[in-house]
Amino acid sequence: MGIKARRYADILAGAPEYVTGRQDEWKAFLTTAARNYKYPYYDQLMIYLQRPEATACAEYDFWFDTMHRYVKRGAKGIALVDNEGDSPKLRYVFDMSDTNSRQGRTIPIWKMEPGYVDAVIEALENSYGEFSDRSGLAACLLDTAKVIVEDNLGDYYTELRGVKAGSLLEELDDLSTETWFKGLVENSVAFIMLTRCGIDPMDYFSDEDFAHVYDFDTPETLSILGGAVSDIAEMPLREIASTVLS
């Protein structure tokens, strides 16, 4: 492993200090993750630690060959740790703010508009069942988070039980561990969905809703929390994106 790759790997290992040490840090991470929801957790984390304001990231070749945009001279790439080879190495992505187009090409980033709400709600109901409260998009997103977390949390919780030794979760019984984990994942998934759809999540959550994030204070427990939140939130957001873009 190169020196730079080792340094960034060490940063990932120290992630709990930067991400779950304070509730505001966790919510700030979720805000970055909402804008970059197609990336897996570790990539989202690296983007947050280096460029928390990033809105749309891609590799150089994608910007140049697919989007016909060039990376500005002097732009600094965001390092992501690639673990697929024999040893970790770095690859770099650039935020759209690092790029420009001589042809004036715009970047097709979807945005929720009032006229899309009914179609989005219908698409979500087709996948996750009818909503008990159809009073607005926010209520439907909150319901979606409950359903999708309930359906997908099992494997992540099993992994969490196996690695919670040495963390603040260690002294909890299994029921309390599951309850705290499920509540935090559900609230975090809903936070990401609301944020990406242009709704202020703090109108629906208080600090108490994220209080247990402090207990995910080891790299292993944070990895499972972050992975669960990232993986689960991506599913409905891809569906919402497809509906909006169509």
Side-chain angles (χ1 to χ4, degrees):
M1 183 192 303
I3 294 175
K4 280 190 176 181
R6 169 63 67 186
R7 181 162 64 87
Y8 282 109
D10 289 343
I11 290 174
L12 286 178
E17 177 184 352
Y18 307 115
V19 180
T20 59
R22 295 188 301 116
Q23 286 186 31
D24 288 346
E25 290 290 348
W26 179 246
K27 287 180 283 189
F29 163 72
L30 295 177
T31 300
T32 299
R35 295 192 295 263
N36 297 277
Y37 66 89
K38 293 182 181 180
Y39 281 90
Y41 160 66
Y42 277 117
D43 288 350
Q44 291 174 341
L45 181 58
M46 292 297 290
I47 293 170
Y48 171 69
L49 293 174
Q50 297 167 81
R51 295 277 293 281
E53 74 284 358
T55 55
C57 297
E59 294 187 11
Y60 180 95
D61 289 347
F62 176 84
W63 287 124
F64 189 79
D65 296 333
T66 303
M67 301 305 298
H68 305 290
R69 298 179 67 86
Y70 63 90
V71 174
K72 298 175 185 176
R73 186 184 301 274
K76 184 178 180 181
I78 302 168
L80 306 181
V81 179
D82 186 348
N83 290 304
E84 291 186 359
D86 295 333
S87 62
K89 59 184 179 181
L90 298 179
R91 63 186 180 91
Y92 292 87
V93 295
F94 296 86
D95 184 42
M96 70 173 183
S97 63
D98 296 322
T99 71
N100 213 333
S101 172
R102 294 185 178 88
Q103 291 79 33
R105 283 178 173 265
T106 58
I107 302 171
I109 297 177
W110 66 269
K111 180 181 179 182
M112 182 60 66
E113 301 286 356
Y116 304 150
V117 169
D118 289 343
V120 167
I121 291 175
E122 182 179 353
L124 292 174
E125 283 190 321
N126 288 338
S127 295
Y128 306 110
E130 293 186 6
F131 297 121
S132 58
D133 182 359
R134 262 178 144 265
S135 61
L137 178 60
C140 295
L141 294 177
L142 292 169
D143 273 358
T144 297
K146 290 181 180 179
V147 171
I148 200 169
V149 169
E150 182 72 35
D151 290 346
N152 292 276
L153 196 67
D155 289 343
Y156 298 101
Y157 171 62
T158 299
E159 290 182 38
L160 180 64
R161 288 178 59 192
V163 301
K164 70 176 187 175
S167 74
L168 292 176
L169 296 169
E170 184 175 11
E171 300 302 321
L172 295 179
D173 59 39
D174 286 347
L175 178 59
S176 296
T177 301
E178 183 177 15
T179 301
W180 289 17
F181 182 47
K182 181 179 179 182
L184 185 55
V185 172
E186 182 182 311
N187 293 340
S188 299
V189 167
F191 189 104
I192 286 177
M193 294 173 65
L194 289 166
T195 299
R196 185 60 188 85
C197 290
I199 301 170
D200 185 353
M202 295 316 297
D203 289 341
Y204 302 89
F205 294 109
S206 67
D207 288 343
E208 291 182 1
D209 293 313
F210 299 95
H212 295 309
V213 75
Y214 300 116
D215 298 290
F216 293 79
D217 62 335
T218 63
E220 295 78 13
T221 55
L222 177 55
S223 176
I224 293 171
L225 171 63
V229 171
S230 175
D231 294 347
I232 294 173
E234 181 182 2
M235 292 184 279
L237 281 176
R238 281 189 176 272
E239 191 152 9
I240 293 170
S242 177
T243 303
V244 169
L245 290 172
S246 66

